[in-house]
Amino acid sequence: MVPIIQDQNIGIAYLEERFGLQLAEEETFFAEWGENLPELTDLEKQDLDRIKNNFLRLVKYPPLSEETVKLVVLSPLLDLAGFYDEPFFIRSEQSIEISTEDEGKIIRGRIDVLVVQQQLSLLIIGSKKSSWSLLAAIPQALTYMIANPEQNKPVFGLVMNGNDFIFIKLIKNSQLEYALSDQFTLWKRENELYKVLGILKKLSQILS
């Protein structure tokens, strides 16, 4: 029987050893998250202020479930970024498997939200409870991104727990390379959802 490894038991070191994953050192590798972001309208900023206030009000009454985080924060962000419009399709609760050839093991997990265009997986989103650290979500998201069958095209990821957000970029060329954005948080006085939405809108422009 082929051994099954659950994705929550996978760490960065395992992905580096088994798949040759490497962290890209060049700043230009993942310039999409910080350069030439679209300007937000006053109406979009009002919507983002409301999303932040809704979340910060709900987080006072734990536990705040993963489904609530998706409903209150993620869903309106995807809508504002244009991912509910053509040419994109949203798929949720997608199962994935990825095998390691040398040991005959299978990594099994579940993608929370998948943005698809022309049958290509473009944006992979891991949404966690507000009490979860993103340190555990990053290797899970990278596992899903490695499992993406499309070669030589960048795949983008977003891990979030409602109050914190980190973007990921992975490219499969001669080797697997990835990079992370800065971490954005709702615990700052300024609303960092402005930057999160700007990045999502930039990715929607690139991927469409």
Side-chain angles (χ1 to χ4, degrees), residues 145-203:
M145 296 165 76
I146 291 171
N148 179 49
E150 184 65 20
Q151 298 289 328
N152 301 321
K153 290 183 181 292
V155 180
F156 296 95
L158 167 64
V159 291
M160 55 164 289
N161 57 12
N163 47 273
D164 299 309
F165 305 78
I166 294 177
F167 289 88
I168 309 170
K169 180 179 181 179
L170 177 79
I171 292 182
K172 298 180 180 181
N173 288 319
S174 57
Q175 62 188 32
L176 285 169
E177 287 189 286
Y178 78 100
L180 306 176
S181 72
D182 284 350
Q183 178 169 312
F184 305 99
T185 180
L186 296 191
W187 297 117
K188 289 186 178 179
R189 293 182 182 275
E190 62 187 86
N191 190 349
E192 293 208 321
L193 285 180
Y194 294 1
K195 190 68 175 289
V196 172
L197 178 59
I199 297 169
L200 286 171
K201 291 183 71 172
K202 176 74 172 290
L203 294 182

Side-chain angles (χ1 to χ4, degrees), residues 34-103:
E35 295 182 358
N36 303 316
L37 298 183
E39 291 288 334
L40 302 184
T41 66
D42 289 340
L43 185 58
E44 287 172 330
K45 291 179 180 179
Q46 291 174 20
D47 288 336
L48 294 173
D49 289 341
R50 185 167 57 253
I51 293 170
K52 177 179 179 178
N53 290 335
N54 288 341
F55 175 79
L56 293 180
R57 181 177 63 85
L58 289 173
V59 83
K60 296 177 183 179
Y61 304 95
L64 193 59
S65 71
E66 178 181 325
E67 290 304 316
T68 303
V69 169
K70 286 193 283 188
L71 181 66
V72 174
V73 181
L74 180 58
S75 181
L77 281 176
L78 292 177
D79 187 19
L80 288 169
F83 283 116
Y84 291 157
D85 303 326
E86 294 286 353
F88 302 109
F89 299 90
I90 299 291
R91 297 177 181 172
S92 61
E93 306 295 326
Q94 296 289 305
S95 298
I96 63 102
E97 288 189 354
I98 181 172
S99 61
T100 58
E101 296 179 2
D102 57 341
E103 294 187 359

Side-chain angles (χ1 to χ4, degrees), residues 20-36:
L21 181 68
Q22 294 186 12
L23 178 65
E25 300 292 343
E26 303 84 3
E27 291 289 335
T28 56
F29 179 87
F30 191 8
E32 293 90 346
W33 74 266
E35 295 182 358
N36 303 316

Side-chain angles (χ1 to χ4, degrees), residues 99-153:
S99 61
T100 58
E101 296 179 2
D102 57 341
E103 294 187 359
K105 295 179 180 177
I106 293 177
I107 302 170
R108 181 171 292 167
R110 179 177 57 83
I111 300 171
D112 295 309
V113 178
L114 179 65
V115 178
V116 178
Q117 184 222 22
Q118 300 292 333
Q119 304 303 313
L120 299 181
S121 303
L122 299 173
L123 178 62
I124 291 168
I125 301 173
S127 174
K128 302 302 179 185
K129 297 179 181 179
S130 61
S131 59
W132 279 40
S133 168
L134 295 187
L135 292 177
I138 290 171
Q140 290 182 35
L142 282 168
T143 301
Y144 309 151
M145 296 165 76
I146 291 171
N148 179 49
E150 184 65 20
Q151 298 289 328
N152 301 321
K153 290 183 181 292

Side-chain angles (χ1 to χ4, degrees), residues 5-20:
I5 306 173
Q6 297 302 319
D7 63 342
Q8 64 265 30
N9 298 322
I10 297 298
I12 296 290
Y14 183 91
L15 298 177
E16 290 175 343
E17 179 182 353
R18 294 291 175 246
F19 300 101

